[in-house]
Amino acid sequence: MNTRLFLSILFGMTCLLSPQAYAGEDGLSILTSRCATCHNLKGPAPTSLKALWQRKGPDLFYAGNKYRHDWLVTWLQKPVRIRPAGMFYRDHIKPGPKHDVVDESTLKPHLRLNKADAMAVADALMTLKAHSNLVASEKLTPAPSPIGEMMFDKIYGCMACHQIEPGFGGMSGPEAYTAGKRLQAPFMLSYIKNPQAWDPKIWMPNKHVPADNIQQLVNYLIDLSKEDFSDEQ
Amino acid sequence: MNNKVVAALPLLLALAPSLAMAESASDNYHTYCIQCHGMRGDGMGVNIRDMSVQPRDHTDAKAMGGRSDDEIFKVIKEGGLSISKSVLMPPWGSTFTDNEIHDLVKYLRTLCKCKHGG
């Protein structure tokens, strides 16, 4: 028997014996078969409101330039809410007694993966690297950020849309207190500088923050994500 | 068809997506503004609970009538600070074209059922 034939028989047997392990080896096929209905894996991001409203989950075609690999592996096995009002906040709010509130009944839990699949999918996601040009020149200089929180809350008003701890802050954007754990620093720097470069129709405005202050904001977000919020809310 | 028109076709096609991008003021309002100004435009958005300055009630004819169209255009394009108001009102100049902002000004006039000076 030649080696190639032997190897392919061996491979075939492994697949039969452990479908789990085999599925775990092909992250990209899991992505296309189980995730592509809600997540855009190829780009581009929506360029019209209609397309924006129809988007069911965050775009993943630049995942390799956005997420931290270790966070992906953990979250995919134990997904928890990131956007307090869901993907498009307008689909998940209703009038309340004092002001509009999130309609929790419209928010569904995220599908969960086993460990092998989560690892394979995380590896596959890290290969999706659109927009590398946007992060190529972004570099964080780690430093203490004594006024980072003041910038986020008061000077730039980012807190109007982002929570800085569970249950405190705005609802229409992703929670900010876990951003530092989830996201790569160059992505955060670039996104704050120009959100529309990543997602032309997103409802985060460009606040024209000078580069030095973006550094402070991102250092703040990274420090903030190291706090333990598990006993709050 | 003459040659010049044929030569211009690729250019026109390339421009088409950006032309298609002009959105109606109502659609823009209900995507970008209601997160703070509320589903009914009354300032009671889903984000306001922890905001230190509350968003303007766009149905308030008196307050909205106190502003000229130029001032409203400016505050939408450049944000609250540009008219000495709160930074919590963001600048939308990187989100909309000037035409879209002019349309938003007109749309706000229908919400308040008012014009400048009454």
Side-chain angles (χ1 to χ4, degrees), chain A residues 49 89 100 167 169 171-172 201, chain B residues 31-32 35 39 47 49-50:
Chain A
L49 288 183
Y89 72 95
D100 300 343
M171 311 295 271
S172 61
K201 289 285 180 179
Chain B
T31 302
Y32 300 97
Q35 48 184 328
M39 300 167 79
N47 281 340
R49 189 192 57 202
D50 302 318

Side-chain angles (χ1 to χ4, degrees), chain A residues 28 31 35 39-43 58-73 75-76 83 120-132 135 181-188 198:
Chain A
L28 274 176
L31 280 172
C35 320
H39 293 287
N40 185 341
L41 303 168
K42 298 208 180 85
D59 290 340
L60 295 179
F61 62 92
Y62 48 81
N65 283 326
K66 176 173 178 183
Y67 307 108
R68 293 181 46 161
H69 181 269
D70 55 340
W71 174 80
L72 282 173
V73 173
W75 189 84
L76 289 169
R83 294 163 186 73
V121 165
D123 288 348
L125 283 172
M126 295 314 285
T127 66
L128 305 181
K129 283 197 175 259
H131 292 326
S132 290
V135 283
K181 279 205 286 238
R182 290 184 280 114
L183 307 171
Q184 298 173 28
F187 171 80
M188 291 190 274
W198 293 88

Side-chain angles (χ1 to χ4, degrees), chain A:
Chain A
M1 207 190 312
N2 76 28
T3 350
R4 209 183 271 166
L5 185 62
F6 175 74
L7 279 178
S8 54
I9 290 175
L10 191 71
F11 181 68
M13 277 168 52
T14 325
C15 298
L16 285 175
L17 290 175
S18 60
Q20 207 69 8
Y22 175 59
E25 275 160 33
D26 198 354
L28 274 176
S29 76
I30 299 178
L31 280 172
T32 26
S33 64
R34 300 178 61 191
C35 320
T37 45
C38 296
H39 293 287
N40 185 341
L41 303 168
K42 298 208 180 85
T47 54
S48 71
L49 288 183
K50 204 168 255 162
L52 180 83
W53 300 336
Q54 279 162 1
R55 180 163 62 186
K56 295 204 191 77
D59 290 340
L60 295 179
F61 62 92
Y62 48 81
N65 283 326
K66 176 173 178 183
Y67 307 108
R68 293 181 46 161
H69 181 269
D70 55 340
W71 174 80
L72 282 173
V73 173
T74 317
W75 189 84
L76 289 169
Q77 294 174 73
K78 214 171 163 259
V80 286
R81 182 134 354 122
I82 299 166
R83 294 163 186 73
M87 193 51 211
F88 180 35
Y89 72 95
R90 195 180 70 187
D91 291 339
H92 304 285
I93 56 174
K94 58 182 183 186
K98 292 205 196 97
H99 52 77
D100 300 343
V101 292
V102 176
D103 184 351
E104 295 284 337
S105 71
T106 62
L107 293 166
K108 309 234 162 25
H110 195 269
L111 133 181
R112 210 181 248 268
L113 297 179
N114 66 33
K115 190 169 181 195
D117 288 354
M119 287 180 9
V121 165
D123 288 348
L125 283 172
M126 295 314 285
T127 66
L128 305 181
K129 283 197 175 259
H131 292 326
S132 290
N133 58 321
L134 295 178
V135 283
S137 58
E138 298 292 349
K139 197 174 175 312
L140 181 72
T141 311
S145 179
I147 60 164
E149 177 167 0
M150 174 128 93
M151 283 185 182
F152 198 88
D153 301 359
K154 300 263 182 300
I155 301 178
Y156 294 112
C158 316
M159 205 191 83
C161 304
H162 294 285
Q163 296 195 0
I164 57 163
E165 57 182 80
F168 187 64
M171 311 295 271
S172 61
E175 60 194 26
Y177 58 95
T178 56
K181 279 205 286 238
R182 290 184 280 114
L183 307 171
Q184 298 173 28
F187 171 80
M188 291 190 274
L189 293 166
S190 169
Y191 198 92
I192 297 167
K193 177 159 85 185
N194 187 354
Q196 283 68 35
W198 293 88
D199 197 358
K201 289 285 180 179
I202 195 64
W203 51 97
M204 168 160 161
N206 183 339
K207 290 234 174 190
H208 307 295
V209 183
D212 286 353
N213 292 354
I214 298 183
Q215 290 274 332
Q216 297 237 23
L217 285 165
V218 172
N219 274 313
Y220 160 68
L221 289 174
I222 290 172
D223 285 347
L224 179 67
S225 73
K226 292 177 184 148
E227 284 177 36
D228 181 11
F229 295 104
S230 55
D231 56 349
E232 292 185 39
Q233 208 179 28

Side-chain angles (χ1 to χ4, degrees), chain A residues 205, chain B residues 29 33 37 58 64 69-80 82-83 89-97 100-108:
Chain B
Y29 190 84
C33 315
H37 289 279
H58 287 153
M64 291 299 289
D69 288 4
D70 287 349
E71 282 172 310
I72 297 179
F73 180 91
K74 192 174 168 76
V75 76
I76 299 173
K77 183 164 178 170
E78 295 167 31
S82 74
I83 60 160
M89 167 61 195
W92 296 99
S94 302
T95 307
F96 304 128
T97 63
E100 286 178 301
I101 300 177
H102 283 301
D103 289 346
L104 275 167
V105 174
K106 283 187 216 144
Y107 182 76
L108 289 175

